[in-house]
Amino acid sequence: MTITKRNARAILLDGDELVLIKRTKPGRDPYWVTVGGGVEAEDASIEDALHREAFEELGGKLSKAELVHLITDPLEDGLGVQHIFAARLERMDIEARTGTEFDKPERGGYEVVRVPFTAEAIRQLNLMPPDLAEFTAGNVEAIKAVLDTQIRAS
């Protein structure tokens, strides 16, 4: 099966907090998503797409990003793959974000929120997609370990 769509998403930590986007749309219960989006032709790599998305959505810069999970979704024309990174936020300036979605009120609200990075806090949210919520809540300590491990050149 051919991969026809790729996304890059970040389980994004700032200290001991998880940075998410709370989505509100008319006629739908609020839900939360991780920072990220589609990989575009001009992105040199999937990780580059993640860095671009972090800037577009948060005015943010990531200090570290490690691929930790893949989610695949069957699509009408092939397969969608979401590349899930664990990442640390270096800095953020909401005023600098550039995503075109923020200029479209019909798309609903995009509120940047922080929640404790614990399984309990994650399970209380309607974090989408459910596969990502389950992976994140089930691997809190492992994700912290990945981000806190220093790789030494030999």
Side-chain angles (χ1 to χ4, degrees):
M1 190 172 275
T2 303
I3 296 172
T4 57
K5 182 177 181 183
R6 291 184 185 272
N7 284 313
R9 303 212 143 276
I11 301 168
L12 183 57
L13 300 186
D14 187 10
D16 292 329
E17 293 180 313
L18 178 62
V19 178
L20 298 170
I21 297 174
K22 181 180 180 182
R23 297 284 288 126
T24 50
K25 294 182 178 181
R28 181 170 178 181
D29 287 341
Y31 63 98
W32 288 256
V33 295
T34 56
V35 170
V39 176
E40 298 176 0
E42 62 269 13
D43 293 319
S45 69
I46 295 163
E47 187 174 339
D48 284 345
L50 179 69
H51 288 274
R52 176 186 48 74
E53 287 286 343
F55 185 77
E56 287 179 4
E57 295 181 1
L58 302 174
K61 179 173 174 31
L62 308 179
S63 61
K64 183 173 184 175
E66 298 284 341
L67 183 66
V68 294
H69 191 56
L70 295 173
I71 298 172
T72 56
D73 302 298
L75 304 172
E76 283 184 20
D77 59 346
L79 194 64
V81 179
Q82 296 190 55
H83 302 258
I84 310 301
F85 290 81
R88 286 236 177 249
L89 184 64
E90 182 176 312
R91 68 178 179 269
M92 175 172 62
D93 178 3
I94 294 298
E95 299 303 314
R97 64 186 185 177
T98 61
T100 56
E101 61 269 32
F102 307 117
D103 298 327
K104 298 177 181 172
E106 68 275 9
R107 300 232 14 214
Y110 294 82
E111 177 188 357
V112 177
V113 297
R114 296 164 185 267
V115 298
F117 188 54
T118 64
E120 297 77 22
I122 294 162
R123 288 189 174 111
Q124 290 177 8
L125 302 173
N126 184 17
L127 180 61
M128 292 292 175
D131 288 356
L132 178 55
E134 183 179 325
F135 173 80
T136 305
N139 290 284
V140 166
E141 293 306 318
I143 290 165
K144 286 181 193 175
V146 165
L147 290 173
D148 293 341
T149 300
Q150 297 297 315
I151 305 297
R152 291 184 185 87
S154 51

